[in-house]
Amino acid sequence: MTTDDAPAAGDLEGRVEGLERELRVQRALVRIAEAAAASADLDAFYAEVHETLRGLTYAENLYIALYDDQRGAINFPYYADAVDLDVPDPRAWEPFGVGDSRGATAYVLRTGRPQHIAPERHRRLVDAGEVEVVGIVGADWLGVPLTVEGRTIGVLVVQTYRDDELYSDEDVELVVFVARHVASALARARSIDTLRQRNVELALIDEIGRGLVQHLDLDAIIHLVGEGIRQAYDAGSMFIALFDAASNEVSFPYEIENGVPQHTLDPSPLGPGLTSMVIRERRSFRASTHDEVMGAGAIDVGGAFATESWLGVPILAGDAVIGVIGLESAERHKFSEETERLLAALASNLGVALENARLFDQTKRLLADTNSRAAELAVINEIGEALAKQLDFDAIIQVVGERVREQYRA
């Protein structure tokens, strides 16, 4: 090889740096995939993604936004920022184009493309009405859509407030490449998380089902179901209501509001409100925003608890509605279709158990009445036989009095 054919030192150094960078990226992808499979929850997965990206580019400030196309809403489950401390509520889902979802993040979702937005471009987009200023505008901003099978499920964003840490075209390509794998890993992690939750729910149904078989006391049955649902869903506000068709009244033997047990002793007439609506219409009702809750006819009691999500399912005994299981939350879009299906299954089991308890209680009462009636007839026969043997007035009175006193413990 001649000197002219030998690679220049600078070219060789560049190749080495390129190989090292590629190796770091591959290691990062492996870490992300392992985190998706191993993390006990999504919060741990998000933190691992953040830590991994720190080793590839400037990612001191990073957040992940999720998009639900069915709800038309955005959620910010992970948000790490050293400067902007106004962190979105990780539990809240905001309608698309409202609140924190009006900014550059929503712009990435609308366009479906990576967006590298420096301050000057940000000003142009604001002037054009494409985005609104949300939070603190930094020195550079890079948002990449998280796409799975052609469907955008969220946005991965890194941003910097330092003029000496701006993003290059190479950084954009890198984050885009990593985001593809993050999206796939996120989809798998969410599936695993959903499966775990489903297993918890199935275990709850099984546990409650076995518990119901062992109880024929109405109060014990209601307490068992209520506590099981409260623990499985960490429900701070929920209730089990019973409906008496004969009196047309609703009672609340199990009720918790903001984590505090309530003791509503007196039943109330069936009337307005969501619980009464579920009873009258014999169907489940689910609302995901305060406007939906109030628009459906909820009663505003003027308390500190603002219901954003409400779910109620009827408890059926045959074709008759005998009650309602209800969940309430101050979070928007708290209850899913899956939650509704689970609650309906629990309500079905509860309906059978309550009907069995009612029949058992009715049988006990009938048996007690029968025994009491038999005892009374025996006393009448005994008195009749005694009277047939007596002709003395005082003796007759004495026999009747003693038998009545013994029978009724008077």
Side-chain angles (χ1 to χ4, degrees):
M1 179 183 295
T2 64
T3 305
D4 292 338
D5 294 331
D11 292 340
L12 183 58
E13 185 178 336
R15 290 182 185 179
V16 171
E17 289 180 355
L19 289 173
E20 290 178 346
R21 185 179 183 87
E22 184 176 341
L23 182 60
R24 288 199 305 272
V25 171
Q26 292 301 324
R27 287 174 177 169
L29 298 181
V30 171
R31 284 184 62 183
I32 290 172
E34 290 176 346
S39 295
D41 55 62
L42 287 174
D43 290 338
F45 172 70
Y46 299 142
E48 185 63 33
V49 169
H50 189 185
E51 188 61 31
T52 301
L53 275 175
R54 288 176 188 268
L56 300 177
T57 187
Y58 184 79
E60 180 70 18
N61 311 294
L62 178 147
Y63 67 83
I64 293 173
L66 299 181
Y67 176 65
D68 188 323
D69 53 357
Q70 293 184 342
R71 299 179 184 179
I74 303 176
N75 165 249
F76 295 82
Y78 185 83
Y79 200 101
D81 198 296
V83 177
D84 192 349
L85 302 181
D86 186 14
V87 179
D89 185 348
R91 301 167 301 175
W93 285 85
E94 294 186 341
F96 193 66
V98 175
D100 290 316
S101 64
R102 297 171 300 171
T105 306
Y107 183 65
V108 174
L109 288 172
R110 288 201 309 273
T111 61
R113 298 193 302 271
Q115 299 292 342
H116 182 194
I117 305 177
E120 180 56 36
R121 186 182 178 209
H122 186 267
R123 281 192 292 271
R124 292 198 302 270
L125 289 172
V126 171
D127 292 341
E130 293 286 352
V131 303
E132 294 186 22
V133 178
V134 177
I136 300 173
V137 179
D140 209 355
W141 189 94
L142 174 57
V144 178
L146 300 172
T147 306
V148 177
E149 298 179 351
R151 184 170 60 93
T152 301
I153 63 171
V155 180
L156 172 65
V157 174
V158 290
Q159 55 187 333
T160 174
Y161 300 96
R162 296 173 50 175
D163 292 331
D164 61 338
E165 292 287 1
L166 304 180
Y167 299 115
S168 64
D169 292 340
E170 189 178 38
D171 290 322
V172 175
E173 293 178 4
L174 171 67
V175 176
V176 168
F177 181 67
V178 172
R180 294 195 193 105
H181 293 269
V182 170
S184 299
L186 177 58
R188 289 194 297 272
R190 292 174 74 180
S191 297
I192 293 172
D193 192 61
T194 300
L195 181 60
R196 288 195 187 102
Q197 178 62 27
R198 183 60 177 164
N199 288 336
V200 169
E201 294 170 349
L202 291 175
L204 172 64
I205 292 178
D206 181 63
E207 179 183 352
I208 289 178
R210 285 187 283 107
L212 292 178
V213 172
Q214 301 171 7
H215 291 87
L216 285 173
D217 178 69
L218 187 141
D219 291 335
I221 289 172
I222 290 175
H223 183 77
L224 172 70
V225 174
E227 285 298 294
I229 295 173
R230 182 183 64 80
Q231 293 174 13
Y233 288 98
D234 193 23
S237 296
M238 64 164 293
F239 65 85
I240 296 177
L242 296 182
F243 173 60
D244 185 346
S247 63
N248 201 42
E249 291 181 327
V250 182
S251 59
F252 294 84
Y254 185 94
E255 186 177 11
I256 293 177
E257 184 173 331
N258 288 334
V260 180
Q262 305 296 303
H263 301 284
T264 306
L265 300 178
D266 297 329
S268 57
L270 186 72
L274 301 184
T275 303
S276 294
M277 181 186 72
V278 171
I279 293 172
R280 280 195 301 268
E281 299 184 6
R282 300 180 65 256
R283 65 177 181 87
S284 301
F285 175 73
R286 175 161 50 95
S288 299
T289 66
H290 183 69
D291 290 342
E292 290 180 11
V293 171
M294 300 309 297
I299 300 174
D300 187 1
V301 296
F305 179 76
T307 301
E308 289 286 353
S309 298
W310 196 93
L311 172 60
V313 299
I315 304 170
L316 300 175
D319 294 330
V321 179
I322 62 173
V324 176
I325 299 178
L327 297 176
E328 300 178 53
S329 175
E331 302 175 29
R332 288 188 170 195
H333 302 280
K334 174 67 173 179
F335 309 120
S336 64
E337 188 175 340
E338 280 294 317
T339 307
E340 183 177 335
R341 280 198 288 266
L342 170 74
L343 215 62
L346 290 174
S348 177
N349 289 341
L350 179 58
V352 173
L354 291 178
E355 183 64 8
N356 289 340
R358 185 188 67 80
L359 292 175
F360 179 71
D361 187 62
Q362 186 179 68
T363 301
K364 285 197 304 181
R365 287 201 308 270
L366 289 174
L367 182 60
D369 290 344
T370 300
N371 291 336
S372 178
R373 182 62 176 163
E376 291 171 353
L377 290 174
V379 169
I380 291 175
N381 290 332
E382 184 181 349
I383 291 175
E385 292 175 359
L387 292 179
K389 300 175 182 178
Q390 297 287 341
L391 292 176
D392 179 69
F393 181 81
D394 291 336
I396 291 174
I397 295 297
Q398 185 69 22
V399 168
V400 173
E402 282 299 310
R403 293 298 179 269
V404 171
R405 182 183 65 78
E406 290 173 0
Q407 172 64 24
Y408 294 103
R409 298 176 182 176

